[in-house]
């Protein structure tokens, strides 16, 4: 039984037994956030996140889905690697929780290795301060689409409330 450092191993195994997929996804994401470069664990053949993923594949394979582009997300391709940055990594980590699949995990692995190589040990520290309301992500088309969908949803709710009160 592997001794995880990103979360409690006993709780992880209990969650596998109980098929608590939400907590298991959170555990994998904790591993990724703690080791965004996916560096190998000393004495192991891979990183902690891959160890967790392998255990999940073995014990709860039904929690894995097929890759699907999520609302507000651009489909990714290898040709866009030059534009990968910390914000994109965080965005893709979020989407792993929404669409838990090996393809997305492997994509995160590539992003993490590329950007931590470029940033060195400063991965968790933003490169520059941005005091705008939406930060650097305002220019990302995916975030903009999500915000527009949220606004449209709110407008729809307000419209239904107004119609019901008439």
């Amino acid at each position: 039984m592997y001794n995880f450092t990103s979360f409690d191993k006993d709780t992880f195994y209990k969650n596998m037994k109980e098929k608590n997929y939400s907590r298991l996804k959170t555990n994998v994401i904790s591993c990724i956030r703690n080791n965004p470069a996916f560096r190998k664990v000393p004495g192991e053949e891979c990183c902690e996140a891959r160890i967790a993923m392998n255990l999940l594949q073995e014990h709860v394979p039904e929690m894995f889905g097929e890759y699907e582009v999520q609302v507000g997300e651009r489909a990714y391709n290898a040709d866009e690697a030059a534009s990968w940055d910390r914000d994109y990594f965080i965005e893709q980590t979020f989407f792993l929780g929404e669409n838990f699949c090996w393809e997305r995990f492997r994509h995160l692995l590539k992003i993490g290795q590329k950007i931590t190589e470029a940033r060195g040990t400063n991965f968790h520290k933003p490169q520059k301060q941005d005091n705008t309301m939406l930060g650097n992500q305002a220019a990302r088309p995916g975030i903009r689409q999500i915000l527009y969908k949220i606004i449209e949803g709110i407008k729809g709710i307000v419209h239904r409330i107004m119609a019901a009160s008439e």
Side-chain angles (χ1 to χ4, degrees):
M1 194 182 309
Y2 179 74
N3 219 4
F4 292 96
T5 60
S6 296
F7 50 83
D8 179 67
K9 73 172 178 171
D10 295 328
T11 303
F12 179 74
Y13 284 97
K14 178 184 172 210
N15 287 332
M16 277 197 299
K17 185 177 180 180
E18 294 174 356
K19 299 185 185 296
N20 189 334
Y21 303 141
S22 176
R23 289 188 187 254
L24 293 168
K25 290 175 188 179
T26 300
N27 291 147
V28 171
I29 291 169
S30 292
C31 291
I32 292 168
R33 288 184 177 150
N34 289 339
N35 182 7
F38 294 88
R39 289 186 181 89
K40 292 180 183 178
V41 174
E44 298 290 336
E45 293 183 16
C46 55
C47 65
E48 192 172 78
R50 185 173 297 266
I51 292 169
M53 291 287 284
N54 289 339
L55 284 167
L56 295 176
Q57 182 66 52
E58 181 181 338
H59 296 282
V60 283
E62 67 276 7
M63 76 178 281
F64 290 85
E66 297 295 320
Y67 170 75
E68 297 174 356
V69 176
Q70 300 297 295
V71 173
E73 177 191 25
R74 299 178 283 128
Y76 54 74
N77 67 52
D79 297 334
E80 295 179 355
S83 68
W84 293 349
D85 59 11
R86 177 181 175 271
D87 290 338
Y88 182 66
F89 180 83
I90 292 168
E91 180 181 285
Q92 289 302 310
T93 303
F94 167 79
F95 286 126
L96 176 66
E98 300 295 308
N99 176 222
F100 199 75
C101 64
W102 276 103
E103 183 177 346
R104 195 172 287 284
F105 177 80
R106 285 188 289 270
H107 182 60
L108 265 169
L109 190 138
K110 291 175 190 172
I111 300 166
Q113 290 172 338
K114 179 191 177 293
I115 64 176
T116 54
E117 180 181 292
R119 292 178 63 106
T121 58
N122 293 326
F123 176 81
H124 291 289
K125 183 179 177 188
Q127 286 182 325
K128 69 176 191 175
Q129 182 70 26
D130 188 337
N131 295 322
T132 62
M133 185 171 93
L134 297 175
N136 292 333
Q137 294 193 10
R140 296 193 76 89
I143 300 301
R144 192 175 300 126
Q145 289 172 343
I146 290 170
L147 291 173
Y148 286 139
K149 288 185 185 285
I150 291 169
I151 291 168
E152 290 304 312
I154 291 170
K155 285 180 182 177
I157 291 169
V158 170
H159 178 67
R160 285 193 293 275
I161 290 171
M162 298 296 286
S165 67
E166 291 178 350

